[in-house]
Structures are given as structure tokens and as C-alpha cells.
Amino acid sequence: MWSGQPHPDEGHLPPLEAVPVPWKSVGPCRSHRESPGGLAESPGGEEAQGEEGPAAAQLDVLRLRSSSMEIREKGSEFLKDELHKAQKELKLKDEECERLSKVREQLERELEELTASLFEEAHKMVREANMKQAASEKQLKEARGKIDMLQAEVTALKTLVLTSTPASPNRELHPQLLSPSKAGPRKGHLRHKSTSSTLCPAVCPTAGHTLTPDKEGKEVDTTLFAEFQAWRESPTLDKTCPFLERVYREDVGPCLDFTMQELSALVRAAVEDNTLTIEPVAAQTPPTVKVAAVECGSTKTCALSGLARACRHRIRLGDSESHYYISPSSRARITAVCNFFTYIRYIQQGLVRQEAEPMFWEITRLRKEMSLAKLGFFPQEA
């Protein structure tokens, strides 16, 4: 049978791998048929090729080993280079991470400092706002107190001071308006209408002094009136001006000159500052200030004169909680001075709408009251 593989006996050459052929140069092939001599030489050539085969194979193995070693060396060098590169990159990344961590720590510190400064500034602003609010509330309270005081003074002005046109005169300050049973018998209390319309209203009579304008001669002192007019052009409470300097010297000073000099000076300063308060004392109320009797007095001793008198009033100086009990005579002297200062304050504030002469006679009447109180005359109602 025929098979697909050629048989060696059919004239085909065996494969090259089966027959080792030495590497030699062969000349050009002349023909497929050679001489028998040529065929006889072939067995010798095969023996030579068989001897050189193991050496060539060993050489090939050596070459392969050397090439594999070279490849390993080159691979190891390449891997070392890559490792060095990776280490360098890792080191750079570590340095970058360290730098970034330092930046982060610095930013965190700055953020904490900024937060602390902001909180401190906020607390400072809150404290300042609270202080300003407290100051504003205090000023508002003081302003309201001043407003109430001014309103009370205006009311008192309408009812007590502007006696030239009184809407509702105070009967305690004007005993001539009291009923006959309370005022007592008075002598002829007649006034001429012409004089009462141009001059100051009737003088408050005291016990035993019932002089009336029509029977009492009046004449304006030109020196005093000139000093008053000069003061009226620019009213002031400065005691160095000629008008007030004369009143202080002749009336205010002697009227407030009590036996207790130290307390007298305090009372005079409180009257000038308009901070003195006079309060009535109930009969059953005991003294509330536990101090020496000579300094503050008691309900039976006047703190200003030091005399044993029945004290139905007490005074308080400014915002002090101490009270000083005074006799009716001392109260009359203090009240006379206070009335004078109240009237000139109203003139300074522009609340008195009168001509110069009626204002001058009203001030003269107030000076007369200070003089009488200084001499010991005071109303029994005090």
C-alpha cells in the first residue's frame, strides 16, 4: 500500500537532523551522480562530524549559560536601577508629606490663634457693649431724674415764685391769704391798686410785722438796681459778680452762719448746688442716724445751733443717707436762702417774664426774708 510518508529506499535523502553534516564549504554541485570515489569518502566525513557534535553541543550550552547570566546580570542591574528610582521617588514623597504635614500643623496653629483672637475680640466687644449699655442706662436714669426735677421746679415756679400773676398761690408761703382764724388779727391790710400793679406783690408778713405797701415807703437804691440790671443782662450763679457778691456778703453768709461751723459750710454748699432736702419728722419716728448728738442733733436738739429745741424737720445733704434734725428757726433761715436761690435760678433759665423793676423788688423781698430769719424772726407755721 502506498503511504503518505516517503521511504528511505525510494531514493530520497534522509533529514538533516538525522545525518550530522560538518560545516564545510562545498563546491557547486555538478550533478546528482558522483563517482564511486566520492562515495567512498563519505564514511570518513561522517566519523569526523560525529566527533565534533558533543563539543558543539557543550559550546551551545555554555553560550546559553553565559547569555542567561548576562541576562540575569542585566536584569538585576535594571531592577536595581528601578529600585533606586523607586526609593528616590519614595524619599521625595516622604519629604513632600513631611513638608505638607508641617504646613498643616502651621495652618492649624494659625487657625487656633485666629480663633482665639476672634473670641477674645468678640468678648471684648461684648464687654464694651455692656459697659456702654450700662452707662447709657445710667445716663438715661439721671436724665429722667433731672427731667422730673425740672418738671417739679416748673410746677413750683408756677405755684410759688411767679407771684405777680399767681394762678394758685400757696397759702403757707403767703399767710395773708389764710383765713382770719389761722392768720390771726391783722392791722389794715389795704393796698392801692396802682402800686400793686407796678411793684412786687405784697410782702409775706411775719408775726408782729404787718407793714403794707401803701404805708411802707419804698425807694429804689440806684447802686443796687444798677448791679441787678448788669447781672440781669447775663444772669449767672458766679458769686464773684458784684450783684451776687453783695448778696452773699450781706444776706446769704450771715443767714447760714450757724454755731456748728463745719455743718454750716456743708449746708451752704448743698444750698448753692441745689442738693439740700428738708423733710418733716413724724412725732413717733425715732432718729435713724446713730451719731453724736452735737453733730446730727436729735428731735430735741438742733444740729446747727446746738440748742435744745423741738425739731420737727430734718435735712439731708445730697445723696447722703445721714439726716440732721433742725429747729424751726434754723429751717426758716435755710428756707429763706433756698427761696432766693430758686428765684435767681428761674431768672437765669428765662422762666420769669417780668420787667426789671418787679424782679428787683421780688429779690429785695427775698433778701428781707433772709434778714428777718437771720435776726430770729420766723413764721409760727414753720
Side-chain angles (χ1 to χ4, degrees):
M1 292 180 65
W2 179 86
S3 61
Q5 295 179 357
H7 196 270
D9 296 336
E10 292 180 358
H12 294 283
L13 296 173
L16 297 175
E17 296 177 357
V19 181
V21 179
W23 295 94
K24 294 182 179 180
S25 60
V26 182
C29 184
R30 293 186 179 91
S31 65
H32 294 283
R33 294 181 178 180
E34 295 180 357
S35 62
L39 293 173
E41 296 176 358
S42 59
E46 290 178 357
E47 292 178 0
Q49 186 177 359
E51 294 176 356
E52 295 177 359
Q58 187 177 2
L59 180 62
D60 292 336
V61 172
L62 294 174
R63 288 177 179 175
L64 289 174
R65 289 180 178 177
S66 62
S67 62
S68 63
M69 291 178 65
E70 291 178 358
I71 291 172
R72 287 179 182 178
E73 292 176 357
K74 290 182 179 179
S76 63
E77 291 178 359
F78 176 76
L79 292 176
K80 288 180 180 179
D81 293 339
E82 292 295 327
L83 180 60
H84 288 309
K85 290 180 181 179
Q87 290 177 349
K88 289 181 180 180
E89 292 179 357
L90 184 61
K91 186 177 180 181
L92 293 175
K93 290 184 180 296
D94 290 340
E95 292 177 355
E96 184 69 16
C97 290
E98 186 178 358
R99 186 183 65 83
L100 292 177
S101 67
K102 290 182 179 179
V103 172
R104 184 185 66 181
E105 292 176 357
Q106 183 178 1
L107 290 176
E108 289 178 352
R109 287 196 301 270
E110 292 179 355
L111 181 61
E112 291 177 357
E113 293 176 357
L114 179 61
T115 305
S117 63
L118 288 176
F119 273 107
E120 185 179 357
E121 188 69 22
H123 287 303
K124 183 179 179 182
M125 293 175 65
V126 170
R127 287 195 301 269
E128 291 179 355
N130 291 334
M131 293 175 62
K132 290 181 180 179
Q133 182 180 1
S136 301
E137 291 177 355
K138 182 179 179 181
Q139 291 178 358
L140 178 61
K141 186 177 180 180
E142 293 178 354
R144 287 177 177 175
K146 290 181 180 180
I147 291 174
D148 295 339
M149 182 180 65
L150 290 176
Q151 289 178 349
E153 289 184 356
V154 170
T155 303
L157 171 66
K158 291 180 179 180
T159 56
L160 300 178
V161 179
L162 295 179
T163 55
S164 59
T165 57
S168 57
N170 192 312
R171 297 180 180 276
E172 293 183 358
L173 295 180
H174 298 277
Q176 72 273 15
L177 299 177
L178 295 174
S179 60
S181 61
K182 295 182 179 181
R186 299 182 184 275
K187 296 181 179 180
H189 191 69
L190 300 176
R191 293 177 293 176
H192 196 276
K193 292 184 179 181
S194 60
T195 59
S196 63
S197 61
T198 55
L199 300 178
C200 182
V203 179
C204 298
T206 57
H209 294 77
T210 56
L211 296 177
T212 55
D214 56 342
K215 292 183 180 180
E216 183 181 10
K218 292 183 179 180
E219 183 178 354
V220 176
D221 188 293
T222 55
T223 303
L224 298 180
F225 190 70
E227 292 176 354
F228 169 72
Q229 282 187 323
W231 174 84
R232 183 172 175 267
E233 292 178 358
S234 58
T236 179
L237 297 180
D238 185 9
K239 63 180 71 174
T240 59
C241 66
F243 170 68
L244 289 183
E245 192 273 335
R246 179 187 294 273
V247 176
Y248 266 91
R249 184 180 69 254
E250 296 179 357
D251 302 309
V252 175
C255 192
L256 295 181
D257 186 14
F258 294 97
T259 304
M260 304 301 172
Q261 295 294 327
E262 184 177 356
L263 184 58
S264 300
L266 296 176
V267 170
R268 177 172 176 175
V271 171
E272 293 176 357
D273 297 337
N274 197 21
T275 57
L276 184 139
T277 304
I278 301 178
E279 303 172 347
V281 179
Q284 67 275 11
T285 304
T288 58
V289 182
K290 298 180 181 181
V291 291
V294 177
E295 293 179 358
C296 293
S298 64
T299 55
K300 296 182 179 180
T301 305
C302 179
L304 288 171
S305 64
L307 300 176
R309 297 288 185 273
C311 301
R312 296 192 295 269
H313 293 83
R314 64 183 184 181
I315 59 175
R316 183 164 54 90
L317 307 178
D319 297 332
S320 175
E321 297 297 332
S322 301
H323 296 83
Y324 302 89
Y325 295 89
I326 57 175
S327 64
S329 175
S330 300
R331 174 180 177 268
R333 294 167 67 172
I334 295 174
T335 302
V337 178
C338 289
N339 291 337
F340 170 77
F341 277 104
T342 300
Y343 189 71
I344 64 173
R345 286 193 188 99
Y346 289 147
I347 295 176
Q348 182 190 20
Q349 297 171 5
L351 299 177
V352 181
R353 306 293 181 181
Q354 286 182 326
E355 297 296 331
E357 188 173 348
M359 293 170 62
F360 173 76
W361 282 115
E362 179 64 17
I363 289 177
T364 304
R365 182 186 70 82
L366 294 174
R367 293 185 63 185
K368 180 181 178 181
E369 287 185 355
M370 287 190 287
S371 299
L372 292 175
K374 174 184 62 178
L375 294 174
F377 294 97
F378 58 90
Q380 295 297 328
E381 293 83 6

